[in-house]
């Protein structure tokens, strides 16, 4: 999600701001698109495994190994991905293109080392699963960390054609490899894990190629981004809470009445998990529409307002542009909500015909429908939370993300022993609260945008160095001493 | 009496005319205890004084403008302004005639003052005073950054004293006014140059203030000056012309007084004439800064040097205040091939004057330069530019002593060279002018007389204040 949350004051200096907003919008679709695609890929792999005649136990283990690798890596990277987007945007704004890619390497290393150890430790206790499969899951986890992080930068590359090509070839490579390996009689779980690792490996390299084409050769410390933990610490929390909120009910359910042990510490809740994966796909319309409508309509007004603020607009012009911007924001958000509600209704009504065919029970379908509502509310609320970051309202975004996470966690915990219909109520509650909080905050904030823009900017920069800044400078010093780090 | 001297960008950090003047005056007033309230530009100056503080200086309160941090930034609310407060603040922001008593009462705390700059009250006021056709964003940020130093400075408590004494207007003058209003103690102001005019020229020439904002900036400094004039019990100038300008800017005539600078006559008048050694030595007692126009000095000396190879120029004064300018001057000296020019750095002026035939001052702006007075007291004529009170010093206001040097237009290389050549070639003229200068200093510019005048002014201001504001 490159480009979000840039400081408004930098906008006033003129050009380049809108490019970042677009980069951010593109990144929004790319990152949620990746998640959606990964879910689709997972479902595809399950189907392949079933067709290859894999036993239920083997399929369960396969899914658990993939889901754990995905969720763990997503949660881990969410700590830094939003922050890195901001770092990249700030660097691009400064014209320091060469500082962008080293941060991707640095962040990957910073997360892979402790993440790899913890994840490896967990897998080592799932002794019932063949060691090779566990090793492949670990490899997948390690690959996914840089892949998710790449998503934060890829938006700024704006090379949509190549991005899509990499996606398509990654997914294609995974499915083809899976089909071939199964054909040659390799055990289903091993074959499919290997093919997923190959597919994501393909994406990892492909995206790196796209990024290398866009950004100049790296220089300077790979850990310069840690200074941003001092500057915009809330972005780390926003990223994590937002991501954790989207999955906390899944993890809760693994330990509820529907949950079962897979092997060692690995657990799943097969009926609930399957329903959740399909429900997750309900978010697609917002992901697409957000880019299309925001990009075309809201951004035009947004840009006009800030052009007037920073470019010599009179008071009357600024006020008029502000009113137009707020009106456009209102129009776009409610259009987004309408489209999401309509498409979700159609999806939740029509999908069960297909789900029944693949073996969904009535309870699972009910869960699917409830969670479709929940993910829909989340999709629109999440879009508004991202809009809060357009206005650099980090406080508001943090409030929205925290409300979402806490509501989902608490309500799911509270209803966990209820009938299956209650499964997903936590997500609905979280999504609804996110929607309500972000909607209220966004419009209250936007209505008083003059105050935030004019009064909220510090008269003087606070240049005191915190712990992270000192650490970043230490790394910078070491890099300088070594004569710079290339890629 | 405990006197708090308020200095802006000068004593005790920067060596130079005003600082030396203050140092010597404090030393000559052992009966008073002084404290210094010093406004410095950069924190790195902290504790690095250019002078050894006299024994009767009890303390230095330092405040640096690059230290304007108010802790971690948190925008906050500011209490709603009453109609009277709003009127005062509006006048302040428009650089007109605010009720300063209200302003000082309202902005008594730094953090609170910063909150004001981030408040909706401030935004509303700015919206109210911005011209309809002007760009609001630029106006808003300009006004905010313009008033930040003021609100930072007046959000501080004044040091305890019986009398506040500012040696310039500007921020120092506002602080003097603030201290006087808050403590009820009198405030006296002395101007060596005309601060407002200097700032005005600086702003007109500078690039960092956008052309549209220059009026506003200049207006702010005029407002500061009027504030100081309004609240001072007595406003002194060094010479008549300066006093007249003070009145023009708005100082009530009854507060104005002229107290010329003074030098230690006994110390300088005993310097013997320089023995003839085959060279003509010219001395420039100046800081190496652009306002002293050292480059014109070098160009002019190049003309002299071409005709008089035995002429030497000694530029005596600190070179570290503007290192870049000094480097440029060094380069120019090399480019012009001026072997007879020497940059001595800071020196003992009295000892050096013994080796000098006459002195030179090429400043673009001056008040009443001590260097010229010292040169005159030592019986050395001076070539000066016609700035500040230089003409009055050299020609005398009809005192019958005759000229004590030659006064030429500022930045006029050939006129400077011509004057120098005249003095270089005519030893009799040097002696005659030197004698006239010595007599004039004895009659009008003695340090002891000056100290006595100031002593009287301080006592009068204090007495007047106690006696009910007679001024």
């Amino acid at each position: 999600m490159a480009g979000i949350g840039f400081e408004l004051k930098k906008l006033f200096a003129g050009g380049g701001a809108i490019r970042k907003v677009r980069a951010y919008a593109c990144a929004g679709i790319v990152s949620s698109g990746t998640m959606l695609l990964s879910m689709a890929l997972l479902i595809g792999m399950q189907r392949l495994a079933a067709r290859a005649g894999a036993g239920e136990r083997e399929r369960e283990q396969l899914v658990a190994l993939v889901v754990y690798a995905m969720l763990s890596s997503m949660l881990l990277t969410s700590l830094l991905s939003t922050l890195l987007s901001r770092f990249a945007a700030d660097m691009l704004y400064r014209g320091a293109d060469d500082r962008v890619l080293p941060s991707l390497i640095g962040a990957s290393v910073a997360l892979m080392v402790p993440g790899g150890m913890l994840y490896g430790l967990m897998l080592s206790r799932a002794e019932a699963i063949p060691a090779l499969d566990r090793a492949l899951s670990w490899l997948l986890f390690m690959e996914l960390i840089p892949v998710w992080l790449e998503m934060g930068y890829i938006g700024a590359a704006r090379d949509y054609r190549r991005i899509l090509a990499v996606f398509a070839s990654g997914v294609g490579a995974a499915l083809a490899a899976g089909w071939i390996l199964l054909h040659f009689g390799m055990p289903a779980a091993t074959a499919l894990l290997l093919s997923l690792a190959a597919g994501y490996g393909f994406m990892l390299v492909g995206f790196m190629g796209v990024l290398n084409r866009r950004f100049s050769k790296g220089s300077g410390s790979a850990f310069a981004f840690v200074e941003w933990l001092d500057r915009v610490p809330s972005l780390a929390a926003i990223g994590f809470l937002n991501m954790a909120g989207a999955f906390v009910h899944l993890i809760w359910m693994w330990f509820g009445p529907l949950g079962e042990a897979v092997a060692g510490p690995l657990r799943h809740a097969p009926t609930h998990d399957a329903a959740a994966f399909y429900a997750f796909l309900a978010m697609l319309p917002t992901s697409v529409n957000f880019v299309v409508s925001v990009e075309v309509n809201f951004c035009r007004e947004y840009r006009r307002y800030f052009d007037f603020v920073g470019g010599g607009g009179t008071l009357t012009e600024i006020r008029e542009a502000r009113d137009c911007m707020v009106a456009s924001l209102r129009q776009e958000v409610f259009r987004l909500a309408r489209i999401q509600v309509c498409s979700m209704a159609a999806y939740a009504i029509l999908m069960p015909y297909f789900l029944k065919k693949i073996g969904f029970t009535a309870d699972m379908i009910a869960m699917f429908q409830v969670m479709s509502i929940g993910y829909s509310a989340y999709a629109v609320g999440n879009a508004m939370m991202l809009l809060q970051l357009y206005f650099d309202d980090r406080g508001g975004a943090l409030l929205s993300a925290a409300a979402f996470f806490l509501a989902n966690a608490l309500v799911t915990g509270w209803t966990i022993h209820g009938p299956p219909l209650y499964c997903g109520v936590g997500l609905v509650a979280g999504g609804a609260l996110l929607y309500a909080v972000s909607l209220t905050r966004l419009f209250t904030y936007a209505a008083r945008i003059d105050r935030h823009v004019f009064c909220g900017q510090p008269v003087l920069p606070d240049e005191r160095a915190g712990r992270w800044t000192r650490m970043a400078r230490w790394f910078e010093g070491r890099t300088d001493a070594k004569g710079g780090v290339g890629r | 009496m405990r006197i708090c001297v308020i200095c802006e960008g000068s004593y005790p950090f920067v060596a130079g005319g005003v600082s030396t003047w203050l140092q010597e005056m404090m030393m000559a007033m052992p009966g008073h205890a002084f404290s210094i309230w010093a406004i410095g530009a950069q924190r790195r100056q902290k504790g690095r004084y250019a002078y050894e503080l006299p024994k009767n200086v009890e303390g230095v309160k330092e405040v640096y403008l690059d230290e304007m941090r108010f802790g971690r930034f948190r925008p906050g609310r500011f209490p709603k302004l009453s109609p009277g407060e709003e009127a005062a603040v509006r006048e302040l922001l428009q650089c007109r005639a605010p009720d300063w008593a209200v302003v000082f009462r309202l902005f008594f705390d730094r953090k609170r003052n910063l909150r004001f700059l981030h408040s909706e009250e401030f935004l509303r006021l700015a919206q109210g005073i911005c011209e309809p056709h002007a760009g609001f964003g630029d106006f808003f940020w300009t006004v905010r950054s313009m008033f930040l130093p003021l609100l930072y400075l007046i959000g501080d408590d004044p040091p305890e004293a019986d009398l506040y004494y500012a040696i310039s207007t500007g921020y120092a003058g506002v602080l003097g006014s603030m201290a006087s209003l808050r403590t009820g103690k009198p405030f006296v102001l002395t101007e060596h140059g005309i601060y407002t005019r200097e700032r005005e020229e600086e702003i007109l020439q500078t690039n960092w203030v956008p052309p549209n904002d220059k009026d506003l900036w200049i207006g702010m400094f005029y407002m500061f000056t009027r504030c100081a004039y309004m609240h001072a019990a007595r406003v002194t100038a060094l010479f008549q012309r300066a006093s007249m300008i003070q009145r023009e800017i708005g100082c009530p005539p009854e507060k104005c007084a002229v107290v010329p600078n003074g030098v230690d006559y006994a110390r300088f008048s005993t310097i013997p004439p320089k023995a003839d050694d085959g060279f003509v030595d010219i001395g420039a007692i100046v800081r190496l800064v652009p306002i002293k126009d050292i480059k014109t000095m070098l160009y002019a000396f190049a003309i002299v040097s071409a005709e008089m190879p035995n002429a030497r120029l000694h530029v005596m004064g600190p070179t570290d205040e503007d290192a870049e300018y000094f480097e440029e001057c060094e380069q120019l000296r090399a480019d012009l091939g001026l072997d007879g020019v020497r940059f001595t750095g800071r020196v003992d002026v009295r000892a050096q004057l013994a080796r000098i035939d006459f002195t030179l001052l090429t400043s673009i702006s001056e008040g009443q330069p001590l260097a010229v007075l010292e040169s005159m007291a030592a019986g050395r004529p001076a070539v000066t530019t016609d700035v500040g009170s230089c003409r009055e010093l050299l020609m005398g206001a009809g005192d019958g002593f005759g000229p004590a040097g030659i006064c030429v237009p500022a930045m006029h290389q050939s006129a400077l060279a011509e004057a120098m050549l005249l003095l270089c070639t005519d030893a009799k003229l040097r002696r005659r002018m030197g004698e006239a200068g010595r007599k004039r200093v004895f009659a009008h510019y003695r340090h002891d007389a000056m100290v006595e005048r100031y002593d009287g002014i301080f006592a009068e201001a204090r007495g007047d204040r106690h006696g009910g504001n007679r001024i």
Side-chain angles (χ1 to χ4, degrees):
Chain A
M1 288 178 275
I4 57 171
F6 42 80
E7 285 167 276
L8 290 177
K9 67 177 174 195
K10 290 182 180 165
L11 280 172
F12 310 136
I18 203 69
R19 224 175 44 224
K20 289 200 297 183
V21 172
R22 284 195 177 147
Y24 147 67
C26 169
I29 184 82
V30 169
S31 61
S32 51
T34 325
M35 273 159 61
L36 288 169
L37 261 172
S38 301
M39 295 297 169
L41 195 57
L42 180 64
I43 291 166
M45 286 291 157
Q46 270 181 289
R47 311 296 311 154
L48 269 177
R51 276 187 56 185
E56 197 183 329
R57 185 155 182 75
E58 196 184 357
R59 269 187 293 157
E60 276 177 3
Q61 287 180 356
L62 164 70
V63 172
L65 288 174
V66 176
V67 166
Y68 269 75
M70 276 188 184
L71 290 194
S72 312
S73 55
M74 275 180 187
L75 284 175
L76 189 63
T77 51
S78 68
L79 279 170
L80 289 185
S81 54
T82 316
L83 191 90
L84 286 170
S85 311
R86 170 62 176 268
F87 173 81
D90 286 348
M91 287 302 122
L92 290 178
Y93 179 81
R94 281 188 205 168
D97 285 25
D98 56 334
R99 305 307 305 269
V100 173
L101 281 192
S103 68
L104 171 61
I105 312 288
S108 299
V109 172
L111 294 178
M112 280 163 88
V113 172
M117 287 199 284
L118 288 174
Y119 192 65
L121 193 69
M122 185 174 70
L123 287 180
S124 71
R125 293 175 56 207
E127 284 153 6
I129 300 175
L132 179 62
D133 290 359
R134 281 185 280 156
L136 285 171
S137 171
W138 187 82
L139 177 69
L140 187 61
F141 169 82
M142 295 297 266
E143 272 178 359
L144 284 171
I145 290 175
V147 168
W148 300 140
L149 290 179
E150 278 175 338
M151 294 306 117
Y153 298 80
I154 204 90
R158 306 209 68 215
D159 193 349
Y160 303 115
R161 217 158 45 82
R162 280 206 174 71
I163 296 170
L164 279 174
V166 171
F167 260 131
S169 42
V171 172
L175 291 173
W179 189 81
I180 292 167
L181 292 173
L182 287 173
H183 190 73
F184 284 102
M186 190 182 263
T190 314
L192 292 173
L193 278 167
L194 194 58
S195 54
L196 272 180
Y200 279 109
F202 206 91
M203 284 191 214
L204 171 62
V205 176
F207 287 137
M208 206 62 209
V210 174
L211 293 176
N212 270 322
R213 288 173 67 92
R214 163 65 180 82
F215 299 107
S216 45
K217 190 170 153 34
S219 71
S221 160
F223 296 98
F225 71 89
V226 295
E227 191 181 331
W228 266 241
L229 284 168
D230 271 339
R231 294 189 182 194
V232 281
S234 55
L235 286 186
I238 292 168
F240 180 77
L241 289 172
N242 190 33
M243 184 64 78
F247 298 117
V248 65
H249 61 292
L250 284 181
I251 297 163
W252 250 131
M253 295 309 285
W254 294 345
F255 298 94
L258 298 178
E260 297 165 6
V262 178
L266 306 193
R267 295 183 68 82
H268 70 167
T271 51
H272 182 265
D273 290 352
F277 293 152
Y278 283 99
F280 193 80
L281 299 178
M283 287 169 60
L284 193 62
T286 292
S287 293
V288 175
N289 260 295
F290 182 69
V291 175
V292 176
S293 68
V294 166
E295 172 104 321
V296 176
N297 300 319
F298 167 69
C299 271
R300 195 173 49 224
E301 302 300 333
Y302 176 89
R303 177 188 196 166
R304 194 161 152 263
Y305 173 74
F306 282 106
D307 278 352
F308 277 135
V309 167
T314 64
L315 204 51
T316 317
E317 286 170 329
I318 291 174
R319 284 176 173 156
E320 188 259 343
R322 176 199 62 199
D323 294 343
C324 287
M325 178 177 71
V326 173
S328 162
L329 183 68
R330 180 164 288 126
Q331 193 180 345
E332 292 308 315
V333 164
F334 289 113
R335 202 166 75 90
L336 201 66
R338 264 200 316 275
I339 290 172
Q340 180 62 39
V341 168
C342 294
S343 52
M344 181 272 294
Y347 182 69
I349 291 167
L350 297 176
M351 207 45 192
Y353 293 107
F354 165 74
L355 295 176
K356 265 184 213 157
K357 282 190 182 157
I358 61 166
F360 267 47
T361 63
D363 282 349
M364 285 168 77
I365 286 175
M367 282 187 244
F368 158 77
Q369 286 172 326
V370 172
M371 279 190 277
S372 293
I373 298 171
Y375 275 123
S376 294
Y378 167 63
V380 181
N382 185 44
M384 285 189 287
M385 194 202 76
L386 296 176
L387 284 168
Q388 291 176 334
L389 291 178
Y390 270 54
F391 292 121
D392 205 25
D393 178 18
R394 278 171 272 135
L398 182 62
L399 184 72
S400 307
F404 172 55
F405 172 79
L406 288 175
N408 191 3
L410 293 176
V411 176
T412 305
W414 185 43
T415 56
I416 199 163
H417 294 287
L421 193 63
Y422 284 147
C423 296
V425 167
L427 180 66
V428 174
L433 194 61
L434 170 66
Y435 181 84
V437 170
S438 56
L439 183 83
T440 317
R441 173 81 180 207
L442 177 64
F443 285 105
T444 323
Y445 199 91
R448 299 178 74 194
I449 188 67
D450 287 345
R451 175 187 185 274
H452 297 293
V453 167
F454 288 104
C455 306
Q457 302 301 316
V459 189
L460 293 168
D462 186 355
E463 286 163 348
R464 283 178 303 171
R467 174 182 348 141
W468 297 108
T469 307
R470 287 196 298 274
M471 189 193 281
R473 288 182 188 160
W474 183 79
F475 280 121
E476 198 74 40
R478 278 177 63 89
T479 313
D480 289 347
K482 284 184 198 165
V485 166
R487 279 201 307 274
Chain B
M1 198 188 312
R2 286 175 309 160
I3 300 171
C4 171
V5 187
I6 310 167
C7 311
E8 180 184 330
S10 56
Y11 193 83
F13 309 115
V14 181
V18 181
S19 298
T20 307
W21 171 88
L22 177 62
Q23 169 90 350
E24 287 174 359
M25 190 167 81
M26 290 190 299
M27 285 164 74
M29 292 182 166
H32 298 310
F34 290 90
S35 65
I36 309 292
W37 192 359
I39 306 166
Q42 291 168 323
R43 195 181 157 65
R44 63 182 166 82
Q45 295 172 311
K46 192 174 174 62
R48 292 165 70 176
Y49 300 156
Y51 296 86
E52 190 179 333
L53 299 179
K55 286 195 178 65
N56 55 339
V57 171
E58 291 179 338
V60 182
K61 180 185 172 101
E62 296 164 45
V63 49
Y64 302 95
L65 291 182
D66 71 337
E67 224 180 20
M68 284 190 293
R69 296 195 193 99
F70 297 77
R72 199 159 277 279
F73 164 70
R74 273 201 189 84
R77 289 185 185 284
F78 195 83
K80 194 169 162 42
L81 302 178
S82 69
E85 289 169 339
E86 187 168 326
V89 177
R90 186 174 289 130
E91 285 290 296
L92 178 77
L93 299 179
Q94 288 177 290
C95 301
R96 296 201 301 215
D99 182 337
W100 285 98
V102 174
V103 170
F104 294 140
R105 210 165 39 237
L106 189 61
F107 298 114
F108 59 87
D109 175 80
R110 281 182 179 165
K111 284 198 171 154
R112 188 181 134 97
N113 297 356
L114 183 74
R115 275 211 303 278
F116 172 69
L117 292 179
H118 286 102
S119 68
E120 275 182 291
E121 288 289 286
F122 178 67
L123 176 62
R124 194 172 55 76
L125 285 168
Q127 285 171 337
I129 62 175
C130 181
E131 299 283 342
H133 57 271
F136 179 70
D138 294 338
F139 173 78
F140 180 85
W141 279 295
T142 300
V143 171
R144 207 164 72 154
S145 54
M146 265 172 59
F147 283 96
L148 178 70
L150 175 75
L151 294 189
Y152 178 74
L153 291 171
I154 65 172
D156 201 2
D157 292 327
E160 270 185 41
D162 299 319
L163 181 136
Y164 294 92
Y165 180 47
I167 54 174
S168 71
T169 55
Y171 294 111
V174 175
L175 283 188
S177 311
M178 179 269 272
S180 176
L181 280 177
R182 284 201 191 141
T183 63
K185 300 288 166 54
F187 163 49
V188 171
L189 170 70
T190 287
E191 280 193 279
H192 282 244
I194 297 296
Y195 180 98
T196 327
R197 291 284 158 88
E198 287 168 15
R199 286 292 89 74
E200 186 171 7
E201 276 185 25
E202 198 177 281
I203 291 166
L204 287 173
Q205 284 170 16
T206 195
N207 292 329
W208 62 263
V209 179
N212 290 343
D213 298 341
K214 289 193 173 182
D215 277 354
L216 207 57
W217 277 95
I218 293 169
M220 182 179 76
F221 284 112
Y222 270 95
M223 175 176 72
F224 289 174
T225 300
R226 288 193 302 269
C227 169
Y229 291 164
M230 187 191 299
H231 297 101
R234 186 59 99 179
V235 178
T236 75
L238 300 183
F239 48 100
Q240 284 299 345
R241 205 162 81 187
S243 184
M244 214 168 67
I245 297 172
Q246 289 175 333
R247 287 194 290 268
E248 275 171 19
I249 293 175
C251 185
E254 66 276 14
K255 290 187 182 180
C256 293
V258 175
V259 183
N261 266 340
V263 290
D264 186 344
Y265 181 76
R267 190 163 167 254
F268 287 95
S269 61
T270 50
I271 300 174
K274 197 196 102 174
D276 191 359
D277 57 359
F279 288 99
V280 180
D281 289 290
I282 308 169
I285 307 162
V286 284
R287 290 175 292 132
L288 272 279
V289 289
I291 201 164
K292 303 293 180 188
D293 202 8
I294 309 297
K295 290 181 182 172
T296 296
M297 182 188 289
L298 294 175
Y299 281 118
F301 183 74
I303 301 172
V304 173
S305 173
E307 290 197 25
M308 298 258 322
N310 64 334
R312 298 189 295 202
L313 174 64
H314 309 268
V315 185
M316 300 175 280
T319 56
D320 52 358
E321 200 177 313
D322 187 339
E324 198 181 328
Y325 186 71
F326 174 54
E327 214 170 278
E328 287 167 15
C329 291
E330 276 276 28
Q331 187 59 47
L332 182 62
R333 181 185 67 155
D335 292 346
L336 294 173
L338 296 176
D339 298 331
V341 175
R342 206 160 59 96
F343 295 110
T344 63
R346 235 176 137 187
V347 289
D348 174 3
V349 173
R350 190 183 179 281
Q352 290 294 322
L353 273 174
R355 290 177 220 140
I356 293 298
D357 288 293
F358 67 93
T359 61
L360 175 63
L361 186 79
T362 52
S363 301
I364 299 166
S365 171
E366 278 293 348
Q368 191 170 49
L370 279 174
V372 175
L373 283 173
E374 285 166 355
S375 167
M376 286 164 64
R380 268 71 178 168
V383 172
T384 73
T385 43
D386 188 6
V387 290
S389 68
C390 287
R391 179 169 292 278
E392 194 178 309
L393 289 181
L394 295 183
M395 302 305 154
D399 57 9
F401 296 124
I406 303 169
C407 198
V408 300
M411 301 171 80
H412 198 315
Q413 291 169 22
S414 55
L416 275 167
E418 209 173 300
M420 279 191 274
L421 281 169
L422 183 62
L423 286 180
C424 282
T425 49
D426 191 341
K428 275 189 190 159
L429 180 65
R430 289 205 298 266
R431 268 197 300 281
R432 201 168 58 240
M433 286 183 157
E435 201 47 41
R438 204 192 314 258
K439 285 178 181 162
R440 182 166 299 128
V441 169
F442 182 77
H444 307 299
Y445 301 104
R446 283 195 336 267
H447 196 258
D448 48 352
M450 179 197 86
V451 170
E452 215 169 286
R453 287 283 311 270
Y454 279 113
D455 213 12
I457 285 172
F458 294 155
E460 176 206 46
R462 198 168 172 219
D464 279 348
R465 183 54 78 126
H466 288 297
N469 269 340
R470 268 181 291 153
I471 288 177

